[in-house]
Amino acid sequence: MAALSSVPMSRVAGGPMENENGGKADRPCRLTVLGATGSIGTSTLDLVGRNAGLFDVIAVTAQTNARELASLARLHRARAAVIGDETLFAELKEALAGSGIAAMAGPAALVEAALMPADCVMASIVGAAGLKPTFAAASQGRRIALANKECLVSAGDVFTDEVARSGAELLPVDSEHSAAFQALAGADPASIEKIILTASGGPFRTWSREQLQGATPEQALKHPNWSMGAKVTIDSATLMNKGLELIEAFHLFPVGVDALDCVVHPQSIVHCLVSYKDGSVLAQMAPPDMRTPIAVALAWPRRMAAPTEKLDLTRLGSLTFEAPDEVRFPALRVAKAALRRGETAPAVLNAANEVAVAAFLGRRLKFLDIASLVEDTLELAEKQGAIRKAAGLDDILAIDTQARRLAADRLARY
Ligand code: NAD
Ligand code: MG
């Protein structure tokens, strides 16, 4: 059993929110968006803008785009806007002049934003940078719409323990986990046979290993179905994303590693299938638009309108499925091994992968070497005793730093 069997399944379903915006019945839902300028952040605010009166935006944050952050803050009448990069404070302040919106800057201010009273926090900062602010939101017992994968991948039990301790509610935003959550609603853990996440297969699904050797960042950034931030798009091309998602699923749902699987489904219509011991298989379907899982998380247990294309199966004609190829896509094999190894192996995997993806985007690493660099880093970390049970968030952050250093050193050999 995953360590977390009691957290989201019991906390998520039938949470305390009363109306269709996740707020109390008599007032709008107070919402903070961490990573507001990103792909998930802007989709979230798009839904907020289309549902006037349902949400009251408290804080919005970003790392570098001060002007866009200020304009989002003004548009949604946020109370505060926080820029992670301190050198941009003056620019943010100037862009907010006369608006009455508080401007703040720096990593500590990101945490402060997460601590401001709110009913729901959208955790959509990319990468391990999202750990501290998301932990801060969790510590307050908030509803957390969790897009950031790294809290579960890197911090795993440490994060879910904090969620359980504080009484926070975790609602998955990653589309496959939102689908699993919906298909699992209320299920007795003993009745679940398998949770099968789907993968689009990315832009290189049909490429040979030889072709993959020469894959460029431009080619890898052209996802066939989803429009997402750069990091997750590269992870989708290597299938590392599916590996990270298996780790997320392990921490979210009350099943063991052997009950988790993935299948390639190029149309990205079915997002997850849950099979039960009586032979029933429940799948969640939706056109590939992140506004659907975001709306699920914001409104649960109700449903809110999302302006997405409606599913027309007759127009699609067929849905196809195939087994993932771990020879052409070794990142999936490496991630599965890290999941089985447990302890801090997924934190090392994630840190090394962030270094590898940045190097690939900077043309310092070949596409297939992303998985090799991550695998090498895991081996080195094991030798150095860095793969062990984590003591807490600070320990995870120290392992993350150590793994990044190991990966950066190793990168010189490629
Ligand atoms: P993105 O790159 O589009 O946006 C990231 C946001 O985080 C931006 O607002 C950026 O300013 C902020 N940010 C970046 N670095 C930061 C730092 N060091 N400190 C503080 N803030 C920082 O990313 P995204 O695609 O929106 O993804 C966000 C998270 O959601 C990721 O963890 C991703 O894996 C996950 N996710 C995304 C999608 C998707 O469709 N985009 C789907 C599933 C899961
Ligand atoms: Mg996903």
Side-chain angles (χ1 to χ4, degrees):
M1 290 288 267
L4 183 70
S5 54
S6 62
V7 178
M9 292 309 293
S10 58
R11 289 196 179 281
V12 165
M17 304 304 174
E18 285 153 27
N19 59 7
E20 70 177 22
N21 57 356
K24 299 294 174 206
D26 56 344
R27 62 167 167 78
C29 170
R30 295 170 305 166
L31 176 71
T32 282
V33 184
L34 305 173
T37 55
S39 165
I40 297 287
T42 50
S43 291
T44 302
L45 289 170
D46 174 70
L47 286 174
V48 167
R50 290 167 189 271
N51 287 277
L54 290 191
F55 296 94
D56 180 7
V57 178
I58 302 296
V60 286
T61 82
Q63 181 62 9
T64 50
N65 198 336
R67 302 230 153 247
E68 196 195 340
L69 179 66
S71 88
L72 288 170
R74 281 178 180 273
L75 181 65
H76 297 285
R77 298 163 185 267
R79 312 278 159 73
V82 182
I83 192 86
D85 182 343
E86 266 153 332
T87 65
L88 299 171
F89 180 59
E91 189 181 335
L92 178 66
K93 215 168 160 200
E94 190 200 312
L96 289 173
S99 67
I101 300 166
M104 300 193 280
L110 292 173
V111 169
E112 250 180 80
L115 292 171
M116 286 172 74
D119 299 307
C120 178
V121 174
M122 169 56 73
S124 54
I125 290 175
V126 62
L131 286 172
K132 275 192 175 171
T134 311
F135 263 77
S139 73
Q140 302 303 297
R142 303 268 150 74
R143 163 173 286 201
I144 297 173
L146 187 67
N148 174 279
K149 296 175 195 252
E150 294 73 16
C151 282
L152 288 170
V153 172
S154 296
D157 295 346
V158 174
F159 181 64
T160 55
D161 286 352
E162 182 61 12
V163 167
R165 187 201 59 75
S166 67
E169 264 193 316
L170 216 47
L171 283 153
V173 169
D174 211 338
S175 54
E176 298 76 4
H177 306 79
S178 171
F181 166 64
Q182 292 174 71
L184 277 165
D188 169 5
S191 68
I192 305 164
E193 198 132 85
K194 264 212 147 89
I195 299 179
I196 304 161
L197 311 179
T198 63
S200 68
F204 305 142
R205 182 175 60 88
T206 58
W207 287 33
S208 67
R209 221 182 131 84
E210 292 64 43
Q211 286 175 299
L212 288 172
Q213 299 280 11
T216 65
E218 291 73 23
Q219 291 167 325
L221 285 168
K222 278 205 191 95
H223 197 284
N225 304 343
W226 295 97
S227 150
M228 311 184 284
K231 162 70 169 48
V232 59
T233 304
I234 301 301
D235 287 345
S236 297
T238 59
L239 288 200
M240 178 61 86
N241 186 47
K242 217 43 55 181
L244 299 177
E245 290 181 353
L246 288 169
I247 300 169
E248 275 183 272
F250 173 74
H251 290 292
L252 281 169
F253 305 121
V255 297
V257 176
D258 294 333
L260 294 169
D261 212 345
C262 58
V263 64
V264 173
H265 166 46
Q267 298 83 17
S268 296
I269 297 294
V270 176
H271 302 292
C272 181
L273 306 103
V274 178
S275 72
Y276 289 92
K277 66 181 181 189
D278 61 8
S280 298
V281 179
L282 299 191
Q284 186 263 3
M285 293 193 262
D289 184 325
M290 287 306 292
R291 289 176 300 183
T292 294
I294 292 169
V296 171
L298 293 180
W300 193 264
R302 306 265 184 121
R303 298 266 176 186
M304 64 186 269
T308 59
E309 190 193 321
K310 299 303 165 207
L311 182 60
D312 180 350
L313 287 173
T314 57
R315 195 167 53 77
L316 274 164
S318 63
L319 300 177
T320 60
F321 301 88
E322 55 200 65
D325 180 345
E326 293 181 11
V327 175
R328 285 183 303 129
F329 299 98
L332 180 58
R333 172 183 56 74
V334 175
K336 282 182 175 175
L339 169 60
R340 286 197 182 273
R341 173 63 186 84
E343 300 190 323
T344 54
V348 172
L349 172 92
N350 180 69
N353 184 53
E354 285 192 27
V355 171
V357 169
F360 170 69
L361 288 171
R363 292 173 213 280
R364 286 173 284 121
L365 190 67
K366 289 209 155 70
F367 183 76
L368 283 176
D369 288 338
I370 295 175
S372 308
L373 179 62
V374 175
E375 195 167 30
D376 287 356
T377 307
L378 278 158
E379 260 177 46
L380 287 168
E382 187 79 84
K383 281 191 193 136
Q384 294 192 2
I387 300 185
R388 51 178 165 73
K389 190 167 165 39
L393 177 58
D394 288 342
D395 200 20
I396 297 283
L397 294 171
I399 296 281
D400 177 85
T401 304
Q402 184 180 351
R404 276 168 207 272
R405 204 177 318 118
L406 286 175
D409 289 350
R410 189 75 186 188
L411 181 59
R413 296 206 194 168
Y414 281 88

